Amino acid sequence: MMEEEELEFVEELEAVLQLTPEVQLAIEQVFPSQDPLDQADFNAVEYINTLFPTEQSLANIDDVVNKIRLKIRRLDDNIRTVVRGQTNVGQDGRQALEEAQKAIQQLFGKIKDIKDKAEKSEQMVKEITRDIKQLDHAKRHLTTSITTLNHLHMLAGGVDSLEAMTRRRQYGEVANLLQGVMNVLEHFHKYMGIPQIRQLSERVKAAQTELGQQILADFEEAFPSQGTKRPGGPSNVLRDACLVANILDPRIKQEIIKKFIKQHLSEYLVLFQENQDVAWLDKIDRRYAWVKRQLVDYEEKYGRMFPREWYMTERISVEFCHVTRTELSKIMRARAKEIEVKLLLFAIQRTTNFEGFLAKRFSGCTLSDGTLKKLESPPPSTNPFLEEETTPEMEELEKGELEQPKKPKAPDNPFHGIVSKCFEPHLYVYIESQDKNLSELIDRFVADFKAQGPPKPNTDEVGAVLPSCADLFVYYKKCMVQCSQLSTGEPMIALTTIFQKYLREYAWKILSGNLPKTSSSSGGLTISSLLKEKEGSEVARFTLEELCLICSILSTAEYCLATTQQLEEKLKEKVDVSLTERINLTGEMDTFSTVISSSIQLLVQDLDAACDPALIAMSKMPWQNVEHVGDQSPYVTSVILHIKQNVPIIRDNLASTRKYFTQFCIKFANSFIPKFITHLFKCKPISMVGAEQLLLDTHSLKMVLLDLPSIGSQVVRKAPASYTKIVVKGMTRAEMILKVVMAPHEPLVVFVDNYIKLLTDCNTETFQKILDMKGLKRSEQSSMLELFRQRLPAPPSGTESSSTLSLMAPTPEQESSRIRKLEKLIKKRL
């Protein structure tokens, strides 16, 4: 029972002494200890084993027990001391708390005393500052009163002096006094309710009105509207009057300026009346010479009378321009039939020169002042083909101008169009003249081409752009720059229409009209071609001169295409922004693109026609009688010979237009390879050796075609990837056809599967042609065709409709078969 009680006591003790990990960690941080008895995971058995590791160590058990008892005794003493020390802690804490509460009460008492004293001090300060504020208000009011009285005295004295000086016309003193009176009067705006102040304000307004009327009367007397003689010079009174007018209502100043300018230009209206000879365009210089003399006369006589900020010289010039524009518009409407191109351009040139003279001398600040509305200045007229970014197409156009040093860009002319606008309604004369000149220019180009003939081989002219093309665009440049200086509105649109017309005519008459004609230019059949084929003669081919001509026309068309695009951009820069959408030369660029395509097609047809006899010879050879495989066949040699003759000539002539030479190669490959395969199907029957020979020939042609872009050239270039892909795909199909022909037709299933694998062609007619090439009988072909239909892979359900459509569309082989039937029918009838 005792042992059980002890065990229960130990378990309860362990439960009581079980601490949480956080508490245990805090104890270890406060009281660090290395004693095993202080560890949280203390194990009595391990501790005893540590003390007595061996049996021999048990001999010291008494000493160990004594040490532990001594340690227990010390711990008990420490615990007892601590417990006894805590007996008086509660009483000491209560005593400290009472002392703290007493200190807080004393502190509150002191704070209350300080607050009461602060309130008394604040009240005292308020009483002191109240008296000071009253004194400040009194001082400010007194100062304001004294200032107002001074201003009132100044205003009353100034009004009296102003009225007296006005009567005596002492404008010099009035100018200074009036400004001061008006400044003083501004201080009395808030006192206008006082009758005396309002009366003084009305007297000032009345004085201003009287001054304005008096000054206008003085100017009317000095410069009478209907006077027969102008005074010799200005007076000091009028000069001072202008200073006064600067202060008065702006309408007074405007009225003075208007009357003076009108009187100054009255002589001009008389001298250049509509019925006078000097009023016509051929003597337009005299108008501008007259106003220049008047400006010099004004500077000498009246330059010091008007203030500089009135810009009287510029105002006289601007009003002269408005009057001149009105008078010229009137006289040109009355005598519109007498206007000629040279006369119109002469007048416009002199007018624009005068506008430039005004821009150099004046700033144009009065153009937006009052009734003088500033005209919109057009974009600066720059040469459309002279820029830093030049292209090879424009080098010839810029040759002359580039040798000259570049000038800095001129600033906008604010006076542009201030007079020359009146010529715009009559620019149709200029447009009609350019239409006529361009028509004559095109006719001259046609005549010169016929007289000079095509470019000569082995000369610098071969493959070069026709000179007439550069001449045409140089003339276009000149017209565009000239017209943009005259107007940037509707006349530019009319000129663009003229440009479009003669770009098309140049493409038709000079380029398309001089392309060599073929017996079957459209690719169709003619009776002459059939007769020549029947007689065994070759189809007519282009001469070396004709090939060079086609290349020159192609290069010229490319030049025109690029330059037309630049022309469109420059026209859009020259014309008003609102009209840019109406400039569109896409149709003309398409026309030149058509000329390029036609030229390439002619070159392809010529080389294609040269290869036709060799292909016909291939199809007529007895391939079933070939006994051994030798070198390439004669027809291959013939094809290679024609390619080596034509392609280097075309490549050299199209050296400046490399991309179109690539197009020529691609189109020739697309034309020659299907035709070669068509003639390949005509070679029947073919023996095994014959098929091997054809396969060798096909490989030879394939290598020649792959080398076509650089054939006969010292510089070997890699053929374009697009071209190589077409050749490899087409000629590989021809090789697969021959490999299928070489394969044994038994067993049938293997042959059919091999055909489907090599050609991936589900067309029954192609399979039929291969069987014909193998020389099989109709009875054998029928069973193989039936097996072929059975072995065909089933098309996906989604592509059923597309496969049906593809079967409905004729293949190239079907199309060539129809053409052959048509040829035979025509031959029989002939």
Side-chain angles (χ1 to χ4, degrees):
M1 291 295 291
M2 290 296 291
E3 293 179 355
E4 292 180 356
E5 290 178 357
E6 290 179 358
L7 291 173
E8 291 178 356
F9 175 75
V10 171
E11 291 176 357
E12 291 176 358
L13 184 62
E14 289 180 351
V16 170
L17 295 177
Q18 192 70 29
L19 302 175
T20 61
E22 292 81 2
V23 175
Q24 187 66 34
L25 180 61
I27 293 174
E28 290 177 357
Q29 291 177 352
V30 176
F31 303 106
S33 175
Q34 299 296 330
D35 194 345
L37 296 174
D38 294 335
Q39 302 300 321
D41 55 350
F42 175 75
N43 191 329
V45 177
E46 292 181 358
Y47 182 70
I48 293 172
N49 289 335
T50 304
L51 295 176
F52 305 105
T54 61
E55 293 181 0
Q56 289 78 7
S57 60
L58 293 175
N60 300 325
I61 190 171
D62 295 333
D63 296 337
V64 173
V65 170
N66 291 332
K67 288 181 180 180
I68 293 175
R69 287 176 178 172
L70 178 62
K71 190 173 185 179
I72 292 172
R73 194 178 297 114
R74 289 176 179 173
L75 288 174
D76 289 340
D77 292 342
N78 291 336
I79 293 171
R80 190 181 300 109
T81 302
V82 171
V83 170
R84 289 176 179 174
Q86 295 296 324
T87 55
N88 298 328
V89 170
Q91 184 176 358
D92 294 342
R94 284 192 295 273
Q95 184 178 356
L97 180 62
E98 290 176 356
E99 292 177 356
Q101 289 176 347
K102 291 179 180 178
I104 291 172
Q105 290 178 356
Q106 293 175 1
L107 182 62
F108 275 127
K110 292 180 180 180
I111 292 173
K112 186 176 180 183
D113 292 341
I114 293 172
K115 184 178 180 182
D116 293 339
K117 292 179 180 180
E119 290 177 354
K120 293 179 181 178
S121 299
E122 183 180 1
Q123 185 66 27
M124 187 181 300
V125 169
K126 285 182 179 179
E127 292 176 356
I128 295 172
T129 55
R130 183 171 59 249
D131 298 336
I132 295 174
K133 286 182 180 179
Q134 290 178 353
L135 293 174
D136 287 341
H137 287 311
K139 178 182 178 182
R140 184 166 59 253
H141 293 160
L142 182 61
T143 303
T144 303
S145 301
I146 294 173
T147 304
T148 304
L149 288 174
N150 287 334
H151 286 166
L152 182 61
H153 175 72
M154 292 169 58
L155 181 62
V159 171
D160 294 336
S161 300
L162 182 64
E163 291 174 345
M165 292 177 182
T166 301
R167 288 191 294 270
R168 293 194 297 269
R169 283 181 168 79
Q170 295 176 347
Y171 296 130
E173 293 78 2
V174 168
N176 298 324
L177 180 60
L178 179 60
Q179 186 63 52
V181 169
M182 294 178 66
N183 293 337
V184 172
L185 189 59
E186 290 179 0
H187 296 285
F188 290 94
H189 281 317
K190 53 187 176 182
Y191 304 118
M192 286 300 173
I194 302 174
Q196 291 80 358
I197 302 298
R198 186 168 58 251
Q199 183 180 2
L200 287 174
S201 176
E202 291 174 355
R203 288 176 61 188
V204 171
K205 291 180 180 178
Q208 288 179 323
T209 304
E210 183 181 354
L211 273 172
Q213 295 174 354
Q214 188 170 303
I215 290 172
L216 288 176
D218 291 344
F219 269 94
E220 180 66 27
E221 182 181 354
F223 304 102
S225 301
Q226 304 296 329
T228 57
K229 186 178 180 181
R230 189 179 301 173
S235 64
N236 294 331
V237 175
L238 295 180
R239 183 181 59 191
D240 296 338
C242 291
L243 298 177
V244 176
N246 260 340
I247 306 172
L248 297 175
D249 191 343
R251 288 177 294 183
I252 303 297
K253 170 185 170 182
Q254 293 177 3
E255 187 68 22
I256 293 172
I257 293 173
K258 182 179 179 181
K259 286 186 176 182
F260 179 81
I261 293 176
K262 182 179 180 181
Q263 192 274 339
H264 212 69
L265 295 178
S266 59
E267 180 184 348
Y268 172 70
L269 294 174
V270 175
L271 292 176
F272 294 92
Q273 286 184 358
E274 186 177 352
N275 56 359
Q276 299 293 328
D277 292 339
V278 293
W280 188 227
L281 300 180
D282 58 346
K283 296 181 178 60
I284 198 169
D285 279 343
R286 298 189 181 183
R287 294 177 180 266
Y288 305 133
W290 181 90
V291 75
K292 290 177 182 178
R293 290 195 303 270
Q294 293 300 313
L295 293 178
V296 173
D297 181 65
Y298 167 82
E299 291 290 348
E300 293 177 354
K301 294 183 179 180
Y302 309 104
R304 297 182 180 180
M305 184 175 74
F306 295 99
R308 296 181 63 86
E309 62 270 17
W310 285 21
Y311 302 104
M312 288 300 295
T313 310
E314 181 176 332
R315 292 180 185 275
I316 292 172
S317 302
V318 170
E319 185 62 23
F320 166 81
C321 291
H322 290 320
V323 172
T324 302
R325 185 176 63 192
T326 304
E327 293 296 320
L328 287 177
S329 299
K330 189 188 304 181
I331 193 172
M332 283 192 293
R333 281 196 301 269
R335 304 171 63 177
K337 295 182 179 180
E338 301 178 28
I339 300 177
E340 298 177 354
V341 178
K342 292 182 179 180
L343 180 62
L344 182 63
L345 293 179
F346 168 78
I348 293 175
Q349 182 184 6
R350 294 296 187 269
T351 302
T352 52
N353 290 342
F354 176 71
E355 291 171 350
F357 163 77
L358 295 180
K360 291 179 181 179
R361 185 166 181 181
F362 306 119
S363 62
C365 60
T366 62
L367 292 174
S368 58
D369 181 25
T371 58
L372 300 178
K373 186 177 179 181
K374 185 175 181 179
L375 297 171
E376 293 184 0
S377 57
S381 57
T382 58
N383 192 313
F385 299 115
L386 291 179
E387 291 187 1
E388 293 182 359
E389 298 178 359
T390 57
T391 59
E393 291 80 4
M394 302 311 303
E395 287 181 357
E396 188 170 349
L397 294 176
E398 301 176 348
K399 185 176 180 181
E401 288 81 351
L402 286 178
E403 296 175 356
Q404 302 176 359
K406 288 192 174 182
K407 298 180 180 179
K409 183 178 178 182
D412 293 345
N413 181 0
F415 296 93
H416 181 85
I418 191 170
V419 179
S420 57
K421 279 284 183 182
C422 65
F423 298 110
E424 188 167 325
H426 304 278
L427 285 179
Y428 67 90
V429 178
Y430 172 78
I431 301 299
E432 292 174 356
S433 172
Q434 297 308 322
D435 189 359
K436 181 181 178 182
N437 293 341
L438 284 169
S439 177
E440 295 174 354
L441 188 63
I442 294 295
D443 293 341
R444 180 167 63 83
F445 289 161
V446 174
D448 291 346
F449 190 90
K450 291 180 179 179
Q452 297 174 2
K456 303 298 184 294
N458 302 323
T459 63
D460 295 338
E461 298 178 1
V462 174
V465 176
L466 297 178
S468 58
C469 177
D471 294 342
L472 178 66
F473 282 101
V474 167
Y475 190 82
Y476 274 9
K477 175 197 67 176
K478 176 183 175 183
C479 294
M480 181 175 62
V481 173
Q482 194 174 44
C483 188
S484 64
Q485 293 174 347
L486 306 180
S487 172
T488 57
E490 288 295 334
M492 283 293 289
I493 302 298
L495 185 66
T496 302
T497 305
I498 299 297
F499 285 175
Q500 291 175 301
K501 173 184 176 181
Y502 289 101
L503 284 174
R504 291 191 297 268
E505 285 203 14
Y506 186 84
W508 295 334
K509 294 183 179 182
I510 308 298
L511 302 182
S512 295
N514 289 306
L515 282 174
K517 302 297 187 294
T518 61
S519 57
S520 56
S521 58
S522 61
L525 293 173
T526 62
I527 295 177
S528 61
S529 64
L530 289 175
L531 287 174
K532 289 181 179 180
E533 184 181 350
K534 183 176 180 181
E535 296 170 0
S537 60
E538 293 186 358
V539 179
R541 293 184 54 202
F542 294 136
T543 62
L544 179 59
E545 291 80 3
E546 290 174 332
L547 286 177
C548 294
L549 174 61
I550 294 173
C551 293
S552 291
I553 290 177
L554 192 153
S555 300
T556 303
E558 186 204 19
Y559 174 88
C560 292
L561 177 62
T563 313
T564 302
Q565 184 176 2
Q566 295 180 9
L567 177 64
E568 180 182 5
E569 294 173 358
K570 297 302 176 183
L571 285 170
K572 289 183 177 180
E573 291 178 8
K574 296 293 181 183
V575 80
D576 291 339
V577 179
S578 59
L579 301 176
T580 51
E581 295 181 357
R582 295 174 59 182
I583 294 180
N584 187 0
L585 303 184
T586 306
E588 289 64 38
M589 288 187 276
D590 292 342
T591 302
F592 290 117
S593 298
T594 303
V595 174
I596 293 173
S597 300
S598 301
S599 302
I600 295 175
Q601 190 61 35
L602 284 177
L603 296 173
V604 171
Q605 287 179 4
D606 180 67
L607 184 55
D608 213 5
C611 298
D612 281 346
L615 296 179
I616 294 173
M618 177 190 75
S619 63
K620 293 181 179 180
M621 286 181 63
W623 294 104
Q624 74 277 13
N625 299 330
V626 178
E627 296 179 355
H628 61 276
V629 179
D631 294 334
Q632 63 186 22
S633 301
Y635 76 89
V636 177
T637 305
S638 176
V639 171
I640 295 175
L641 179 62
H642 289 305
I643 289 176
K644 287 184 177 181
Q645 286 177 350
N646 279 34
V647 174
I649 296 173
I650 297 172
R651 182 183 59 244
D652 295 341
N653 287 316
L654 297 181
S656 61
T657 57
R658 188 74 186 175
K659 63 178 179 179
Y660 292 116
F661 174 69
T662 303
Q663 288 187 20
F664 160 76
C665 296
I666 292 174
K667 287 190 177 183
F668 174 72
N670 284 327
S671 174
F672 176 79
I673 295 175
K675 186 179 291 187
F676 173 74
I677 294 175
T678 301
H679 283 82
L680 195 62
F681 283 129
K682 294 180 181 180
C683 300
K684 54 186 179 182
I686 304 176
S687 64
M688 178 66 70
V689 179
E692 291 179 358
Q693 181 64 47
L694 275 173
L695 185 60
L696 176 63
D697 295 341
T698 303
H699 180 72
S700 299
L701 287 174
K702 178 180 178 181
M703 298 310 295
V704 171
L705 290 175
L706 287 174
D707 191 43
L708 181 71
S710 59
I711 193 168
S713 175
Q714 296 179 355
V715 180
V716 180
R717 294 184 180 180
K718 187 178 179 180
S722 57
Y723 170 76
T724 303
K725 183 178 179 181
I726 293 171
V727 173
V728 170
K729 182 179 179 181
M731 296 306 290
T732 302
R733 174 176 170 80
E735 292 175 343
M736 293 299 105
I737 291 173
L738 292 173
K739 288 182 180 179
V740 172
V741 172
M742 293 168 59
H745 62 277
E746 291 182 355
L748 301 181
V749 175
V750 176
F751 177 78
V752 171
D753 290 344
N754 191 32
Y755 169 83
I756 296 174
K757 179 181 178 182
L758 292 177
L759 290 181
T760 63
D761 192 346
C762 300
N763 194 343
T764 309
E765 291 187 9
T766 306
F767 187 70
Q768 175 85 47
K769 291 177 182 178
I770 290 180
L771 296 180
D772 291 339
M773 293 174 69
K774 292 180 69 66
L776 298 178
K777 297 179 181 179
R778 290 296 178 183
S779 58
E780 294 176 330
Q781 292 184 13
S782 60
S783 60
M784 295 184 74
L785 286 171
E786 185 64 28
L787 180 62
F788 174 73
R789 295 188 183 95
Q790 294 175 2
R791 302 290 293 179
L792 284 177
S797 58
T799 60
E800 184 176 357
S801 59
S802 62
S803 63
T804 305
L805 292 174
S806 64
L807 290 174
M808 292 174 61
T811 62
E813 290 80 2
Q814 293 173 335
E815 194 68 29
S816 61
S817 176
R818 294 178 184 176
I819 294 175
R820 288 199 306 274
K821 291 178 182 178
L822 180 60
E823 291 177 3
K824 291 179 181 179
L825 178 62
I826 296 176
K827 289 179 182 178
K828 288 180 181 179
R829 293 188 178 181
L830 289 174

